[in-house]
Amino acid sequence: MNPLLIAILVVFGLAAILCVIRIIRGPSILDRTVASDVLLTEVMCVLGADMAINGHTRNIPVMLIIAAVGVFASISVARYVARRDNTAP
């Protein structure tokens, strides 16, 4: 395995662990949503780094699906929180 890819995996792995901790301990649902978005972005960055280092484009459909899931999940949570905040007296 390429040493550059190993370094990338270590750095993004540490960041992913911190995101998972934020998802578990986040004080609000918005904190958890932002942490899950960051986690999805890290996965996309690792896939992109793998494509750049190894010179292929096989991961592009996976990256598009991950990006779509992240966007739709964030929009759903934001709409849920906005409705919940509007109904409170």
Side-chain angles (χ1 to χ4, degrees):
M1 185 179 261
N2 190 348
L4 180 61
L5 188 58
I6 292 172
I8 290 170
L9 289 176
V10 167
V11 170
F12 280 107
L14 180 62
I17 290 170
L18 293 174
C19 287
V20 169
I21 290 171
R22 175 55 68 188
I23 289 171
I24 293 170
R25 295 184 58 199
S28 70
I29 191 169
L30 294 176
D31 293 329
R32 292 182 171 116
T33 303
V34 170
S36 64
D37 275 346
V38 171
L39 186 62
L40 289 176
T41 303
E42 290 174 9
V43 170
M44 289 188 340
C45 288
V46 169
L47 291 174
D50 177 51
M51 287 191 320
I53 290 172
N54 293 325
H56 64 84
T57 57
R58 291 186 302 256
N59 294 336
I60 289 178
V62 176
M63 292 173 66
L64 288 174
I65 291 171
I66 290 172
V69 167
V71 166
F72 292 136
S74 298
I75 291 171
S76 300
V77 170
R79 289 181 59 105
Y80 171 74
V81 170
R83 284 186 186 169
R84 188 180 64 182
D85 289 343
N86 286 338
T87 58

